[in-house]
Amino acid sequence: MKFIIKLFPEITIKSRPVRKRLIARLQNNIQIILARIEPSVKVSSFWDKLEAAFDHEAVENVGEVRDALVDALSRIPGIQAFLEVEQYPLGDFHQVYELTREAYAERIKGKTFKVRVRRSGKHEFTSVELERYVGGGLRQHTEAAGVDVHKPEVWVDLEVRDDWLFIITRIHKGLGGYPLGTQEPVLSLISGGFDSIVASWMTMRRGCKTHFLFFNLGGYAHEIGVKQVSLYLWRRYGSSARVKFITVPFEEVVGEILQSIDRSHMGVVLKRMMMRAADRVADRMNIPALVTGESIAQVSSQTLPNLALIDSVAEHLVLRPLVTMDKPDIIDYTREIGAFEFASAMPEFCGVISDKPTTAAKRDRVEREEQGFDFDVLDRALESAEVISIDEIVENQNISSEIEALTRVDANQVIVDIRAPHEEERKPLNMPGCEIMKIPFYKLEQDIVGLDSKRQYLLYCEKGVMSQMHAQHLAEKGYENIGVYRPAAQK
């Protein structure tokens, strides 16, 4: 089995040097990600495509590996589509027809088709002769609507290379966009809500290595949620590159705004303070652009006059991928990328609530308001910023190591599987003799209230990262019967 990987069309129109660079980066990204699934995978590069193949003899469960590779390829930026190809020793024409019928009979049912053969090497037949034989057989012995040599509904693609036959069995849609790392890096201001999640994903899809910047307004549960969704986005769409997660404690900044800024201007000033801080973080990290999830007029601070005032304090380019998008469309995108449950369950923490917020703030008024703000508070927040690699979130010093991860389960202990339903269904936790409850992470805090306080509950997730974070959060809220279950192999 191999995969033929088609390039995002915008790659193919670049100049020769740029195109070569983009293809080389895409090849490297695919190799990194697929090799984590199956080490024998080899990715080869061509001018108009890439090919990925693995050693079947080295794999115990080919079906599982195939499914994992298909899932990974569908999430790698830069791929327009990829074809799943089966390889067979080349026999006679009838053997080629039978294999083709097995692969295409359902796909051409009720549709017109045309057989297309690409051939390389020395053979005693021509490509046209093989096309006619296979096409005639499919027309007679399948439920196809017939042959259309001009505009067929289905192309039946075969490749003959020396003594081998290759049949395209499935065509999968890719993510599109540019290969990750081919564009300049960006710093995304992520709150964990629908907007900032989709904005971050869009810049990743466009080829930008996307770092995450979170302003903590005082809620530890919020920080857990944002780290969780940032880690998810990186693992799903950007894991071929290392990025940072930066937390800036903004509680004191919010307190200063509440004391020194008129209530009608609090929202705009808070955003300006965040933009100032983001500007300085981007300077430190040598990042040329900032990303936000703002959309025109969605809230009072996102009118055009207010956005202009917010941007005026930043020296870096500010990107707003969602600027003209409607909220329902943004929410649909979170469903598409698998982040809806994260966003809908994100704890809310309002730092400031403006009284009759201005929708058209004036520069001189805002600057007068900010004259009473103690900017030393902003400096202290930036000095206390925490920077970690996204894949090292579990090592975060704010996550207590006192919650021991247990590898064995006693009679009075219950395993609580906190994974999202689609994750749990894909890979169910099989623990004969153990009681297992399924409470998705986004329902954990509300459902934990009704559990038996005399029993101990061990949180479980596949990587052991988020179970530790949620256990720590619940422990800080006073739940003393919460632990973590981590299988020995996971540890």
Side-chain angles (χ1 to χ4, degrees):
M1 179 186 293
K2 71 173 181 178
F3 299 96
I4 297 175
I5 299 162
K6 300 294 185 178
L7 306 173
F8 177 54
E10 289 183 29
I11 296 175
T12 63
I13 62 174
K14 302 297 183 187
S15 65
R16 187 177 185 87
V18 173
R19 180 170 173 170
K20 286 178 67 175
R21 176 175 63 82
L22 295 176
I23 293 173
R25 175 55 68 93
L26 180 58
Q27 178 187 9
N28 184 65
N29 292 350
I30 295 172
Q31 183 69 61
I32 289 171
I33 291 172
L34 298 193
R36 293 173 186 156
I37 299 169
E38 172 48 51
S40 69
V41 168
K42 182 179 179 182
V43 181
S44 304
S45 172
F46 302 89
W47 179 243
D48 61 344
K49 65 182 179 181
L50 293 97
E51 292 186 0
F54 65 94
D55 182 0
H56 288 63
E57 297 180 359
V59 177
E60 289 186 12
N61 193 327
V62 174
E64 282 188 10
V65 170
R66 174 258 170 205
D67 291 347
L69 293 177
V70 168
D71 180 54
L73 284 168
S74 69
R75 296 182 278 101
I76 297 176
I79 298 176
Q80 182 68 12
F82 57 100
L83 317 178
E84 202 169 336
V85 180
E86 293 288 352
Q87 178 177 342
Y88 305 95
L90 179 62
D92 58 17
F93 275 21
H94 195 70
Q95 177 245 17
V96 175
Y97 151 69
E98 288 183 327
L99 290 171
T100 306
R101 184 184 63 183
E102 182 180 343
Y104 276 90
E106 281 300 316
R107 206 181 313 169
I108 63 176
K109 186 176 181 179
K111 299 179 180 179
T112 59
F113 72 93
K114 183 182 186 307
V115 178
R116 180 167 51 185
V117 174
R118 292 182 175 86
R119 186 175 58 85
S120 61
K122 294 183 178 180
H123 304 95
E124 296 180 354
F125 59 88
T126 67
S127 299
V128 173
E129 289 172 338
L130 182 56
E131 287 172 353
R132 288 174 176 169
Y133 187 94
V134 174
L138 293 177
R139 182 175 58 82
Q140 294 180 49
H141 301 292
T142 69
E143 297 179 53
V147 174
D148 185 340
V149 298
H150 300 293
K151 293 184 178 180
E153 294 176 89
V154 178
W155 287 97
V156 177
D157 285 316
L158 308 177
E159 182 179 347
V160 175
R161 190 181 302 170
D162 297 324
D163 296 327
W164 293 97
L165 169 69
F166 299 91
I167 298 179
I168 297 171
T169 58
R170 293 183 182 89
I171 300 175
H172 302 276
K173 183 181 178 182
L175 188 62
Y178 285 108
L180 194 68
T182 57
Q183 311 306 313
E184 285 72 23
V186 296
L187 182 63
S188 179
L189 281 63
I190 187 163
S191 67
F194 295 101
D195 303 334
S196 63
I197 288 174
V198 175
S200 300
W201 171 76
M202 283 185 164
T203 54
M204 295 167 75
R205 179 184 176 275
R206 203 61 184 170
C208 298
K209 184 189 292 188
T210 302
H211 302 268
F212 301 96
L213 174 61
F214 170 60
F215 293 102
N216 192 334
L217 304 182
Y220 185 66
H222 191 183
E223 182 177 346
I224 290 177
V226 176
K227 284 182 174 176
Q228 185 165 338
V229 74
S230 300
L231 188 62
Y232 170 84
L233 287 174
W234 175 78
R235 281 179 171 158
R236 293 285 291 176
Y237 302 103
S239 65
S240 60
R242 298 287 293 276
V243 302
K244 302 295 185 182
F245 184 95
I246 304 98
T247 301
V248 178
F250 239 51
E251 302 97 320
E252 195 177 356
V253 174
V254 170
E256 179 65 18
I257 289 174
L258 290 171
Q259 290 181 11
S260 58
I261 306 297
D262 184 85
R263 297 190 69 83
S264 63
H265 283 65
M266 284 181 177
V268 171
V269 172
L270 176 61
K271 290 290 184 69
R272 282 165 62 92
M273 294 303 168
M274 288 179 173
M275 201 61 73
R276 287 182 172 103
D279 217 36
R280 288 164 62 177
V281 172
D283 263 340
R284 295 175 188 173
M285 299 178 66
N286 196 28
I287 294 174
L290 309 175
V291 178
T292 77
E294 290 153 326
S295 177
I296 292 175
Q298 192 178 108
V299 296
S300 61
S301 65
Q302 295 176 19
T303 61
L304 291 180
N306 287 351
L307 289 176
L309 277 175
I310 291 167
D311 284 3
S312 68
V313 299
E315 295 182 3
H316 291 74
L317 173 67
V318 180
L319 303 176
R320 291 187 172 89
L322 316 183
V323 71
T324 61
M325 286 184 64
D326 297 331
K327 192 70 173 187
D329 296 332
I330 296 169
I331 293 173
D332 286 344
Y333 264 117
T334 64
R335 290 191 175 96
E336 181 180 325
I337 65 179
F340 175 80
E341 290 161 338
F342 292 95
S344 59
M346 195 63 60
E348 291 288 343
F349 188 92
C350 277
V352 297
I353 301 176
S354 294
D355 182 19
K356 296 181 180 179
T358 178
T359 57
K362 305 298 183 184
R363 181 181 297 274
D364 57 349
R365 170 67 188 276
V366 171
E367 290 177 349
R368 280 202 312 273
E369 291 290 336
E370 290 182 344
Q371 287 177 3
F373 184 89
D374 182 1
F375 280 88
D376 288 342
V377 172
L378 187 63
D379 294 339
R380 286 196 294 270
L382 285 164
E383 289 169 4
S384 302
E386 176 190 75
V387 182
I388 58 174
S389 294
I390 190 74
D391 55 339
E392 296 174 353
I393 278 181
V394 74
E395 305 297 335
N396 184 343
Q397 62 186 4
N398 289 335
I399 301 174
S400 173
S401 59
E402 296 176 3
I403 300 180
E404 181 184 1
L406 303 179
T407 58
R408 297 181 61 182
V409 182
D410 296 334
N412 194 47
Q413 294 173 328
V414 179
I415 296 176
V416 180
D417 191 336
I418 67 169
R419 294 175 294 171
H422 71 274
E423 291 182 283
E424 188 277 325
E425 290 171 8
R426 178 179 57 83
K427 194 173 182 180
L429 181 61
N430 186 18
M431 295 283 294
C434 294
E435 184 178 347
I436 299 175
M437 298 181 66
K438 299 174 185 178
I439 305 179
F441 65 90
Y442 51 87
K443 291 186 176 179
L444 187 59
E445 193 160 348
Q446 68 183 56
D447 287 3
I448 203 76
V449 177
L451 300 183
D452 187 352
S453 61
K454 296 179 180 178
R455 303 192 70 181
Q456 186 178 25
Y457 297 90
L458 306 179
L459 308 188
Y460 168 80
C461 66
E462 190 168 353
K463 299 292 184 181
V465 177
M466 295 307 158
S467 54
Q468 184 70 242
M469 296 178 73
H470 283 285
Q472 169 66 16
H473 173 58
L474 291 171
E476 291 191 354
K477 295 198 74 172
Y479 291 95
E480 299 179 354
N481 59 336
I482 301 298
V484 172
Y485 171 69
R486 195 181 307 175
Q490 196 184 78
K491 257 196 166 184

